[in-house]
PDB file of all heavy atoms in Angstrom:
ATOM      1  N   GLU A   1       0.832  -1.239  -0.013  1.00  0.00           N
ATOM      2  CA  GLU A   1      -0.016   0.018  -0.013  1.00  0.00           C
ATOM      3  C   GLU A   1       0.845   1.272  -0.014  1.00  0.00           C
ATOM      4  O   GLU A   1       0.531   2.230  -0.671  1.00  0.00           O
ATOM      5  CB  GLU A   1      -0.940  -0.020   1.216  1.00  0.00           C
ATOM      6  CG  GLU A   1      -2.070  -0.996   1.123  1.00  0.00           C
ATOM      7  CD  GLU A   1      -2.996  -0.775  -0.012  1.00  0.00           C
ATOM      8  OE1 GLU A   1      -3.075   0.426  -0.440  1.00  0.00           O
ATOM      9  OE2 GLU A   1      -3.635  -1.733  -0.491  1.00  0.00           O
ATOM     10  N   SER A   2       1.950   1.218   0.778  1.00  0.00           N
ATOM     11  CA  SER A   2       2.848   2.380   0.814  1.00  0.00           C
ATOM     12  C   SER A   2       3.491   2.614  -0.539  1.00  0.00           C
ATOM     13  O   SER A   2       3.657   3.805  -0.941  1.00  0.00           O
ATOM     14  CB  SER A   2       3.867   2.237   1.895  1.00  0.00           C
ATOM     15  OG  SER A   2       4.836   1.217   1.598  1.00  0.00           O
ATOM     16  N   TRP A   3       3.865   1.558  -1.279  1.00  0.00           N
ATOM     17  CA  TRP A   3       4.452   1.713  -2.586  1.00  0.00           C
ATOM     18  C   TRP A   3       3.459   2.266  -3.545  1.00  0.00           C
ATOM     19  O   TRP A   3       3.772   3.197  -4.338  1.00  0.00           O
ATOM     20  CB  TRP A   3       4.938   0.340  -3.069  1.00  0.00           C
ATOM     21  CG  TRP A   3       6.138  -0.156  -2.371  1.00  0.00           C
ATOM     22  CD1 TRP A   3       6.845   0.417  -1.332  1.00  0.00           C
ATOM     23  CD2 TRP A   3       6.798  -1.408  -2.620  1.00  0.00           C
ATOM     24  NE1 TRP A   3       7.883  -0.318  -0.961  1.00  0.00           N
ATOM     25  CE2 TRP A   3       7.896  -1.503  -1.706  1.00  0.00           C
ATOM     26  CE3 TRP A   3       6.586  -2.434  -3.469  1.00  0.00           C
ATOM     27  CZ2 TRP A   3       8.766  -2.578  -1.656  1.00  0.00           C
ATOM     28  CZ3 TRP A   3       7.442  -3.544  -3.464  1.00  0.00           C
ATOM     29  CH2 TRP A   3       8.502  -3.611  -2.576  1.00  0.00           C
ATOM     30  N   ILE A   4       2.213   1.707  -3.562  1.00  0.00           N
ATOM     31  CA  ILE A   4       1.236   2.134  -4.482  1.00  0.00           C
ATOM     32  C   ILE A   4       0.831   3.566  -4.250  1.00  0.00           C
ATOM     33  O   ILE A   4       0.700   4.387  -5.162  1.00  0.00           O
ATOM     34  CB  ILE A   4      -0.007   1.223  -4.379  1.00  0.00           C
ATOM     35  CG1 ILE A   4       0.325  -0.176  -4.869  1.00  0.00           C
ATOM     36  CG2 ILE A   4      -1.232   1.800  -5.153  1.00  0.00           C
ATOM     37  CD1 ILE A   4      -0.754  -1.217  -4.594  1.00  0.00           C
ATOM     38  N   GLU A   5       0.680   3.936  -2.989  1.00  0.00           N
ATOM     39  CA  GLU A   5       0.301   5.353  -2.653  1.00  0.00           C
ATOM     40  C   GLU A   5       1.397   6.306  -3.131  1.00  0.00           C
ATOM     41  O   GLU A   5       1.098   7.375  -3.677  1.00  0.00           O
ATOM     42  CB  GLU A   5       0.108   5.490  -1.134  1.00  0.00           C
ATOM     43  CG  GLU A   5      -0.340   6.884  -0.655  1.00  0.00           C
ATOM     44  CD  GLU A   5      -0.515   6.970   0.756  1.00  0.00           C
ATOM     45  OE1 GLU A   5      -0.329   5.943   1.534  1.00  0.00           O
ATOM     46  OE2 GLU A   5      -0.871   8.048   1.306  1.00  0.00           O
ATOM     47  N   TRP A   6       2.661   5.897  -2.894  1.00  0.00           N
ATOM     48  CA  TRP A   6       3.736   6.845  -3.346  1.00  0.00           C
ATOM     49  C   TRP A   6       3.721   7.016  -4.827  1.00  0.00           C
ATOM     50  O   TRP A   6       3.854   8.136  -5.354  1.00  0.00           O
ATOM     51  CB  TRP A   6       5.084   6.257  -2.915  1.00  0.00           C
ATOM     52  CG  TRP A   6       6.193   7.183  -3.235  1.00  0.00           C
ATOM     53  CD1 TRP A   6       6.767   8.120  -2.464  1.00  0.00           C
ATOM     54  CD2 TRP A   6       6.920   7.248  -4.470  1.00  0.00           C
ATOM     55  NE1 TRP A   6       7.772   8.768  -3.092  1.00  0.00           N
ATOM     56  CE2 TRP A   6       7.908   8.250  -4.328  1.00  0.00           C
ATOM     57  CE3 TRP A   6       6.848   6.517  -5.671  1.00  0.00           C
ATOM     58  CZ2 TRP A   6       8.777   8.625  -5.389  1.00  0.00           C
ATOM     59  CZ3 TRP A   6       7.713   6.868  -6.732  1.00  0.00           C
ATOM     60  CH2 TRP A   6       8.647   7.903  -6.575  1.00  0.00           C
ATOM     61  N   ALA A   7       3.573   5.907  -5.597  1.00  0.00           N
ATOM     62  CA  ALA A   7       3.582   5.971  -7.055  1.00  0.00           C
ATOM     63  C   ALA A   7       2.447   6.828  -7.604  1.00  0.00           C
ATOM     64  O   ALA A   7       2.643   7.581  -8.543  1.00  0.00           O
ATOM     65  CB  ALA A   7       3.506   4.558  -7.639  1.00  0.00           C
ATOM     66  N   GLU A   8       1.280   6.714  -6.989  1.00  0.00           N
ATOM     67  CA  GLU A   8       0.146   7.526  -7.406  1.00  0.00           C
ATOM     68  C   GLU A   8       0.369   8.999  -7.106  1.00  0.00           C
ATOM     69  O   GLU A   8       0.058   9.886  -7.986  1.00  0.00           O
ATOM     70  CB  GLU A   8      -1.118   7.032  -6.701  1.00  0.00           C
ATOM     71  CG  GLU A   8      -1.586   5.648  -7.216  1.00  0.00           C
ATOM     72  CD  GLU A   8      -2.759   5.096  -6.421  1.00  0.00           C
ATOM     73  OE1 GLU A   8      -2.980   5.576  -5.297  1.00  0.00           O
ATOM     74  OE2 GLU A   8      -3.491   4.219  -6.969  1.00  0.00           O
ATOM     75  N   LEU A   9       0.887   9.344  -5.927  1.00  0.00           N
ATOM     76  CA  LEU A   9       1.097  10.733  -5.575  1.00  0.00           C
ATOM     77  C   LEU A   9       2.214  11.342  -6.409  1.00  0.00           C
ATOM     78  O   LEU A   9       2.136  12.538  -6.742  1.00  0.00           O
ATOM     79  CB  LEU A   9       1.390  10.803  -4.057  1.00  0.00           C
ATOM     80  CG  LEU A   9       0.237  10.563  -3.125  1.00  0.00           C
ATOM     81  CD1 LEU A   9       0.747  10.570  -1.693  1.00  0.00           C
ATOM     82  CD2 LEU A   9      -0.859  11.548  -3.297  1.00  0.00           C
ATOM     83  N   ALA A  10       3.246  10.495  -6.681  1.00  0.00           N
ATOM     84  CA  ALA A  10       4.390  11.018  -7.487  1.00  0.00           C
ATOM     85  C   ALA A  10       4.069  11.227  -8.933  1.00  0.00           C
ATOM     86  O   ALA A  10       4.783  11.875  -9.677  1.00  0.00           O
ATOM     87  CB  ALA A  10       5.585  10.143  -7.281  1.00  0.00           C
ATOM     88  N   LYS A  11       2.978  10.545  -9.403  1.00  0.00           N
ATOM     89  CA  LYS A  11       2.553  10.631 -10.747  1.00  0.00           C
ATOM     90  C   LYS A  11       3.578  10.131 -11.744  1.00  0.00           C
ATOM     91  O   LYS A  11       3.692  10.623 -12.848  1.00  0.00           O
ATOM     92  CB  LYS A  11       2.083  12.049 -11.100  1.00  0.00           C
ATOM     93  CG  LYS A  11       0.934  12.550 -10.236  1.00  0.00           C
ATOM     94  CD  LYS A  11       0.443  13.941 -10.722  1.00  0.00           C
ATOM     95  CE  LYS A  11      -0.617  14.481  -9.823  1.00  0.00           C
ATOM     96  NZ  LYS A  11      -1.818  13.581  -9.693  1.00  0.00           N
ATOM     97  N   VAL A  12       4.373   9.138 -11.316  1.00  0.00           N
ATOM     98  CA  VAL A  12       5.346   8.554 -12.293  1.00  0.00           C
ATOM     99  C   VAL A  12       4.622   7.787 -13.385  1.00  0.00           C
ATOM    100  O   VAL A  12       3.466   7.388 -13.195  1.00  0.00           O
ATOM    101  CB  VAL A  12       6.376   7.684 -11.523  1.00  0.00           C
ATOM    102  CG1 VAL A  12       7.155   8.473 -10.542  1.00  0.00           C
ATOM    103  CG2 VAL A  12       5.655   6.502 -10.860  1.00  0.00           C
ATOM    104  N   ASP A  13       5.310   7.526 -14.437  1.00  0.00           N
ATOM    105  CA  ASP A  13       4.703   6.744 -15.539  1.00  0.00           C
ATOM    106  C   ASP A  13       4.598   5.259 -15.115  1.00  0.00           C
ATOM    107  O   ASP A  13       5.608   4.658 -14.684  1.00  0.00           O
ATOM    108  CB  ASP A  13       5.601   6.832 -16.781  1.00  0.00           C
ATOM    109  CG  ASP A  13       5.062   6.061 -17.970  1.00  0.00           C
ATOM    110  OD1 ASP A  13       3.872   6.253 -18.295  1.00  0.00           O
ATOM    111  OD2 ASP A  13       5.804   5.214 -18.482  1.00  0.00           O
ATOM    112  N   ILE A  14       3.457   4.652 -15.305  1.00  0.00           N
ATOM    113  CA  ILE A  14       3.221   3.240 -14.896  1.00  0.00           C
ATOM    114  C   ILE A  14       3.039   2.406 -16.143  1.00  0.00           C
ATOM    115  O   ILE A  14       2.180   2.681 -16.974  1.00  0.00           O
ATOM    116  CB  ILE A  14       1.975   3.157 -13.958  1.00  0.00           C
ATOM    117  CG1 ILE A  14       1.993   4.113 -12.822  1.00  0.00           C
ATOM    118  CG2 ILE A  14       1.836   1.699 -13.498  1.00  0.00           C
ATOM    119  CD1 ILE A  14       3.126   3.854 -11.843  1.00  0.00           C
ATOM    120  N   ALA A  15       3.850   1.367 -16.228  1.00  0.00           N
ATOM    121  CA  ALA A  15       3.638   0.400 -17.258  1.00  0.00           C
ATOM    122  C   ALA A  15       3.231  -0.937 -16.554  1.00  0.00           C
ATOM    123  O   ALA A  15       4.038  -1.551 -15.889  1.00  0.00           O
ATOM    124  CB  ALA A  15       4.980   0.201 -18.054  1.00  0.00           C
ATOM    125  N   GLY A  16       2.017  -1.270 -16.725  1.00  0.00           N
ATOM    126  CA  GLY A  16       1.466  -2.410 -16.021  1.00  0.00           C
ATOM    127  C   GLY A  16       0.321  -1.994 -15.095  1.00  0.00           C
ATOM    128  O   GLY A  16      -0.365  -0.996 -15.355  1.00  0.00           O
ATOM    129  N   ASP A  17       0.190  -2.693 -13.991  1.00  0.00           N
ATOM    130  CA  ASP A  17      -0.896  -2.414 -13.077  1.00  0.00           C
ATOM    131  C   ASP A  17      -0.322  -2.388 -11.656  1.00  0.00           C
ATOM    132  O   ASP A  17       0.369  -3.311 -11.214  1.00  0.00           O
ATOM    133  CB  ASP A  17      -1.931  -3.572 -13.190  1.00  0.00           C
ATOM    134  CG  ASP A  17      -3.214  -3.315 -12.466  1.00  0.00           C
ATOM    135  OD1 ASP A  17      -3.205  -2.483 -11.500  1.00  0.00           O
ATOM    136  OD2 ASP A  17      -4.252  -3.865 -12.807  1.00  0.00           O
ATOM    137  N   LEU A  18      -0.643  -1.305 -10.947  1.00  0.00           N
ATOM    138  CA  LEU A  18      -0.130  -1.159  -9.605  1.00  0.00           C
ATOM    139  C   LEU A  18      -0.637  -2.275  -8.690  1.00  0.00           C
ATOM    140  O   LEU A  18       0.020  -2.616  -7.667  1.00  0.00           O
ATOM    141  CB  LEU A  18      -0.448   0.238  -8.992  1.00  0.00           C
ATOM    142  CG  LEU A  18       0.224   1.398  -9.582  1.00  0.00           C
ATOM    143  CD1 LEU A  18      -0.272   2.706  -8.968  1.00  0.00           C
ATOM    144  CD2 LEU A  18       1.772   1.281  -9.344  1.00  0.00           C
ATOM    145  N   ASP A  19      -1.770  -2.859  -9.007  1.00  0.00           N
ATOM    146  CA  ASP A  19      -2.288  -3.946  -8.193  1.00  0.00           C
ATOM    147  C   ASP A  19      -1.352  -5.173  -8.263  1.00  0.00           C
ATOM    148  O   ASP A  19      -1.391  -6.049  -7.389  1.00  0.00           O
ATOM    149  CB  ASP A  19      -3.699  -4.403  -8.646  1.00  0.00           C
ATOM    150  CG  ASP A  19      -4.703  -3.436  -8.108  1.00  0.00           C
ATOM    151  OD1 ASP A  19      -4.430  -2.749  -7.123  1.00  0.00           O
ATOM    152  OD2 ASP A  19      -5.870  -3.408  -8.684  1.00  0.00           O
ATOM    153  N   ASP A  20      -0.443  -5.218  -9.242  1.00  0.00           N
ATOM    154  CA  ASP A  20       0.507  -6.315  -9.310  1.00  0.00           C
ATOM    155  C   ASP A  20       1.470  -6.297  -8.122  1.00  0.00           C
ATOM    156  O   ASP A  20       2.126  -7.281  -7.844  1.00  0.00           O
ATOM    157  CB  ASP A  20       1.329  -6.238 -10.629  1.00  0.00           C
ATOM    158  CG  ASP A  20       0.495  -6.498 -11.840  1.00  0.00           C
ATOM    159  OD1 ASP A  20      -0.580  -7.111 -11.693  1.00  0.00           O
ATOM    160  OD2 ASP A  20       0.898  -6.132 -12.951  1.00  0.00           O
ATOM    161  N   LEU A  21       1.581  -5.132  -7.474  1.00  0.00           N
ATOM    162  CA  LEU A  21       2.475  -5.018  -6.321  1.00  0.00           C
ATOM    163  C   LEU A  21       1.856  -5.561  -5.020  1.00  0.00           C
ATOM    164  O   LEU A  21       2.538  -5.656  -4.020  1.00  0.00           O
ATOM    165  CB  LEU A  21       2.826  -3.556  -6.138  1.00  0.00           C
ATOM    166  CG  LEU A  21       3.559  -2.871  -7.287  1.00  0.00           C
ATOM    167  CD1 LEU A  21       3.847  -1.425  -6.969  1.00  0.00           C
ATOM    168  CD2 LEU A  21       4.909  -3.612  -7.596  1.00  0.00           C
ATOM    169  N   ARG A  22       0.586  -5.921  -5.085  1.00  0.00           N
ATOM    170  CA  ARG A  22      -0.101  -6.478  -3.898  1.00  0.00           C
ATOM    171  C   ARG A  22       0.242  -7.970  -3.831  1.00  0.00           C
ATOM    172  O   ARG A  22       0.042  -8.714  -4.812  1.00  0.00           O
ATOM    173  CB  ARG A  22      -1.569  -6.292  -3.920  1.00  0.00           C
ATOM    174  CG  ARG A  22      -2.009  -4.847  -4.055  1.00  0.00           C
ATOM    175  CD  ARG A  22      -3.498  -4.703  -4.061  1.00  0.00           C
ATOM    176  NE  ARG A  22      -3.937  -3.406  -4.443  1.00  0.00           N
ATOM    177  CZ  ARG A  22      -4.024  -2.323  -3.640  1.00  0.00           C
ATOM    178  NH1 ARG A  22      -3.666  -2.499  -2.405  1.00  0.00           N
ATOM    179  NH2 ARG A  22      -4.425  -1.181  -4.071  1.00  0.00           N
ATOM    180  N   PRO A  23       0.678  -8.493  -2.655  1.00  0.00           N
ATOM    181  CA  PRO A  23       1.010  -9.950  -2.562  1.00  0.00           C
ATOM    182  C   PRO A  23      -0.227 -10.784  -2.739  1.00  0.00           C
ATOM    183  O   PRO A  23      -1.327 -10.388  -2.317  1.00  0.00           O
ATOM    184  CB  PRO A  23       1.566 -10.027  -1.127  1.00  0.00           C
ATOM    185  CG  PRO A  23       2.047  -8.668  -0.748  1.00  0.00           C
ATOM    186  CD  PRO A  23       1.078  -7.715  -1.471  1.00  0.00           C
ATOM    187  N   GLN A  24      -0.075 -11.852  -3.339  1.00  0.00           N
ATOM    188  CA  GLN A  24      -1.195 -12.852  -3.535  1.00  0.00           C
ATOM    189  C   GLN A  24      -1.283 -13.739  -2.281  1.00  0.00           C
ATOM    190  O   GLN A  24      -0.410 -14.627  -2.110  1.00  0.00           O
ATOM    191  CB  GLN A  24      -0.990 -13.628  -4.810  1.00  0.00           C
ATOM    192  CG  GLN A  24      -1.147 -12.829  -6.058  1.00  0.00           C
ATOM    193  CD  GLN A  24      -0.992 -13.679  -7.351  1.00  0.00           C
ATOM    194  OE1 GLN A  24       0.004 -14.446  -7.475  1.00  0.00           O
ATOM    195  NE2 GLN A  24      -1.929 -13.613  -8.184  1.00  0.00           N
ATOM    196  N   ARG A  25      -2.289 -13.604  -1.504  1.00  0.00           N
ATOM    197  CA  ARG A  25      -2.429 -14.452  -0.302  1.00  0.00           C
ATOM    198  C   ARG A  25      -2.831 -15.881  -0.760  1.00  0.00           C
ATOM    199  O   ARG A  25      -3.608 -16.038  -1.688  1.00  0.00           O
ATOM    200  CB  ARG A  25      -3.499 -13.917   0.618  1.00  0.00           C
ATOM    201  CG  ARG A  25      -3.086 -12.670   1.383  1.00  0.00           C
ATOM    202  CD  ARG A  25      -4.220 -12.119   2.226  1.00  0.00           C
ATOM    203  NE  ARG A  25      -3.835 -10.952   3.002  1.00  0.00           N
ATOM    204  CZ  ARG A  25      -3.491 -10.922   4.279  1.00  0.00           C
ATOM    205  NH1 ARG A  25      -3.515 -12.116   4.962  1.00  0.00           N
ATOM    206  NH2 ARG A  25      -3.179  -9.841   4.917  1.00  0.00           N
ATOM    207  N   PRO A  26      -2.299 -16.866  -0.064  1.00  0.00           N
ATOM    208  CA  PRO A  26      -2.678 -18.200  -0.402  1.00  0.00           C
ATOM    209  C   PRO A  26      -4.124 -18.502   0.032  1.00  0.00           C
ATOM    210  O   PRO A  26      -4.679 -17.800   0.864  1.00  0.00           O
ATOM    211  CB  PRO A  26      -1.733 -19.067   0.458  1.00  0.00           C
ATOM    212  CG  PRO A  26      -1.328 -18.192   1.574  1.00  0.00           C
ATOM    213  CD  PRO A  26      -1.362 -16.791   1.066  1.00  0.00           C
ATOM    214  N   ASP A  27      -4.737 -19.510  -0.590  1.00  0.00           N
ATOM    215  CA  ASP A  27      -6.050 -19.878  -0.192  1.00  0.00           C
ATOM    216  C   ASP A  27      -6.092 -20.351   1.282  1.00  0.00           C
ATOM    217  O   ASP A  27      -5.132 -20.879   1.787  1.00  0.00           O
ATOM    218  CB  ASP A  27      -6.560 -21.012  -1.090  1.00  0.00           C
ATOM    219  CG  ASP A  27      -6.754 -20.595  -2.562  1.00  0.00           C
ATOM    220  OD1 ASP A  27      -6.905 -19.420  -2.741  1.00  0.00           O
ATOM    221  OD2 ASP A  27      -6.691 -21.451  -3.380  1.00  0.00           O
ATOM    222  N   ALA A  28      -7.194 -20.049   1.919  1.00  0.00           N
ATOM    223  CA  ALA A  28      -7.296 -20.337   3.374  1.00  0.00           C
ATOM    224  C   ALA A  28      -7.117 -21.805   3.682  1.00  0.00           C
ATOM    225  O   ALA A  28      -6.697 -22.185   4.781  1.00  0.00           O
ATOM    226  CB  ALA A  28      -8.633 -19.808   3.867  1.00  0.00           C
ATOM    227  N   ASP A  29      -7.522 -22.686   2.698  1.00  0.00           N
ATOM    228  CA  ASP A  29      -7.411 -24.095   2.986  1.00  0.00           C
ATOM    229  C   ASP A  29      -6.096 -24.708   2.630  1.00  0.00           C
ATOM    230  O   ASP A  29      -5.914 -25.957   2.723  1.00  0.00           O
ATOM    231  CB  ASP A  29      -8.573 -24.835   2.244  1.00  0.00           C
ATOM    232  CG  ASP A  29      -8.523 -24.650   0.794  1.00  0.00           C
ATOM    233  OD1 ASP A  29      -7.800 -23.725   0.319  1.00  0.00           O
ATOM    234  OD2 ASP A  29      -9.183 -25.352   0.028  1.00  0.00           O
ATOM    235  N   VAL A  30      -5.142 -23.895   2.198  1.00  0.00           N
ATOM    236  CA  VAL A  30      -3.806 -24.367   1.842  1.00  0.00           C
ATOM    237  C   VAL A  30      -2.902 -24.297   3.046  1.00  0.00           C
ATOM    238  O   VAL A  30      -2.686 -23.191   3.561  1.00  0.00           O
ATOM    239  CB  VAL A  30      -3.227 -23.587   0.648  1.00  0.00           C
ATOM    240  CG1 VAL A  30      -1.756 -24.054   0.327  1.00  0.00           C
ATOM    241  CG2 VAL A  30      -4.126 -23.784  -0.587  1.00  0.00           C
ATOM    242  N   GLU A  31      -2.350 -25.406   3.463  1.00  0.00           N
ATOM    243  CA  GLU A  31      -1.447 -25.392   4.596  1.00  0.00           C
ATOM    244  C   GLU A  31      -0.115 -24.807   4.245  1.00  0.00           C
ATOM    245  O   GLU A  31       0.527 -25.168   3.190  1.00  0.00           O
ATOM    246  CB  GLU A  31      -1.288 -26.776   5.118  1.00  0.00           C
ATOM    247  CG  GLU A  31      -0.403 -26.897   6.382  1.00  0.00           C
ATOM    248  CD  GLU A  31      -0.222 -28.359   6.813  1.00  0.00           C
ATOM    249  OE1 GLU A  31      -0.752 -29.232   6.163  1.00  0.00           O
ATOM    250  OE2 GLU A  31       0.486 -28.594   7.839  1.00  0.00           O
ATOM    251  N   TRP A  32       0.372 -23.886   5.066  1.00  0.00           N
ATOM    252  CA  TRP A  32       1.705 -23.316   4.807  1.00  0.00           C
ATOM    253  C   TRP A  32       2.808 -24.289   5.200  1.00  0.00           C
ATOM    254  O   TRP A  32       2.679 -24.933   6.240  1.00  0.00           O
ATOM    255  CB  TRP A  32       1.862 -22.003   5.606  1.00  0.00           C
ATOM    256  CG  TRP A  32       3.205 -21.357   5.460  1.00  0.00           C
ATOM    257  CD1 TRP A  32       3.714 -20.758   4.321  1.00  0.00           C
ATOM    258  CD2 TRP A  32       4.257 -21.248   6.480  1.00  0.00           C
ATOM    259  NE1 TRP A  32       4.966 -20.328   4.578  1.00  0.00           N
ATOM    260  CE2 TRP A  32       5.348 -20.581   5.849  1.00  0.00           C
ATOM    261  CE3 TRP A  32       4.347 -21.643   7.808  1.00  0.00           C
ATOM    262  CZ2 TRP A  32       6.490 -20.283   6.534  1.00  0.00           C
ATOM    263  CZ3 TRP A  32       5.456 -21.386   8.485  1.00  0.00           C
ATOM    264  CH2 TRP A  32       6.562 -20.711   7.876  1.00  0.00           C
ATOM    265  N   ILE A  33       3.804 -24.346   4.403  1.00  0.00           N
ATOM    266  CA  ILE A  33       4.957 -25.258   4.690  1.00  0.00           C
ATOM    267  C   ILE A  33       6.182 -24.461   5.078  1.00  0.00           C
ATOM    268  O   ILE A  33       6.635 -23.547   4.372  1.00  0.00           O
ATOM    269  CB  ILE A  33       5.306 -26.060   3.401  1.00  0.00           C
ATOM    270  CG1 ILE A  33       4.054 -26.879   2.916  1.00  0.00           C
ATOM    271  CG2 ILE A  33       6.500 -27.007   3.618  1.00  0.00           C
ATOM    272  CD1 ILE A  33       4.284 -27.656   1.647  1.00  0.00           C
ATOM    273  N   ASP A  34       6.732 -24.706   6.249  1.00  0.00           N
ATOM    274  CA  ASP A  34       7.838 -23.965   6.809  1.00  0.00           C
ATOM    275  C   ASP A  34       9.084 -24.212   5.974  1.00  0.00           C
ATOM    276  O   ASP A  34       9.570 -25.376   5.884  1.00  0.00           O
ATOM    277  CB  ASP A  34       8.047 -24.381   8.279  1.00  0.00           C
ATOM    278  CG  ASP A  34       9.100 -23.573   8.950  1.00  0.00           C
ATOM    279  OD1 ASP A  34       9.777 -22.726   8.248  1.00  0.00           O
ATOM    280  OD2 ASP A  34       9.303 -23.719  10.186  1.00  0.00           O
ATOM    281  N   PRO A  35       9.670 -23.193   5.360  1.00  0.00           N
ATOM    282  CA  PRO A  35      10.876 -23.351   4.500  1.00  0.00           C
ATOM    283  C   PRO A  35      12.081 -23.881   5.331  1.00  0.00           C
ATOM    284  O   PRO A  35      13.013 -24.447   4.738  1.00  0.00           O
ATOM    285  CB  PRO A  35      11.156 -21.964   3.990  1.00  0.00           C
ATOM    286  CG  PRO A  35       9.847 -21.240   4.083  1.00  0.00           C
ATOM    287  CD  PRO A  35       9.216 -21.800   5.321  1.00  0.00           C
ATOM    288  N   ASP A  36      12.108 -23.657   6.665  1.00  0.00           N
ATOM    289  CA  ASP A  36      13.200 -24.069   7.472  1.00  0.00           C
ATOM    290  C   ASP A  36      13.102 -25.445   8.074  1.00  0.00           C
ATOM    291  O   ASP A  36      13.978 -25.878   8.796  1.00  0.00           O
ATOM    292  CB  ASP A  36      13.409 -23.051   8.607  1.00  0.00           C
ATOM    293  CG  ASP A  36      13.707 -21.629   8.143  1.00  0.00           C
ATOM    294  OD1 ASP A  36      14.386 -21.468   7.097  1.00  0.00           O
ATOM    295  OD2 ASP A  36      13.164 -20.651   8.766  1.00  0.00           O
ATOM    296  N   ALA A  37      12.034 -26.144   7.750  1.00  0.00           N
ATOM    297  CA  ALA A  37      11.856 -27.520   8.330  1.00  0.00           C
ATOM    298  C   ALA A  37      11.463 -28.515   7.270  1.00  0.00           C
ATOM    299  O   ALA A  37      10.377 -29.092   7.330  1.00  0.00           O
ATOM    300  CB  ALA A  37      10.794 -27.427   9.395  1.00  0.00           C
TER     301      ALA A  37
END
């Protein structure tokens, strides 16, 4: 959100979609796997 807000206020040229900067949350029924174990 902070990145998107800054880009919008700064009015820089955007190629693509600012929504691409939002992380894609996993589905609620998908179990997370610990990378360290």
Side-chain angles (χ1 to χ4, degrees):
E1 289 298 335
S2 68
W3 289 0
I4 292 170
E5 181 180 0
W6 184 92
E8 291 174 338
L9 291 174
K11 300 186 184 302
V12 298
D13 178 57
I14 308 294
D17 192 332
L18 288 177
D19 280 341
D20 292 341
L21 299 178
R22 302 182 193 278
Q24 292 182 306
R25 288 178 178 258
D27 294 336
D29 58 347
V30 175
E31 182 182 0
W32 178 69
I33 302 176
D34 185 353
D36 298 324

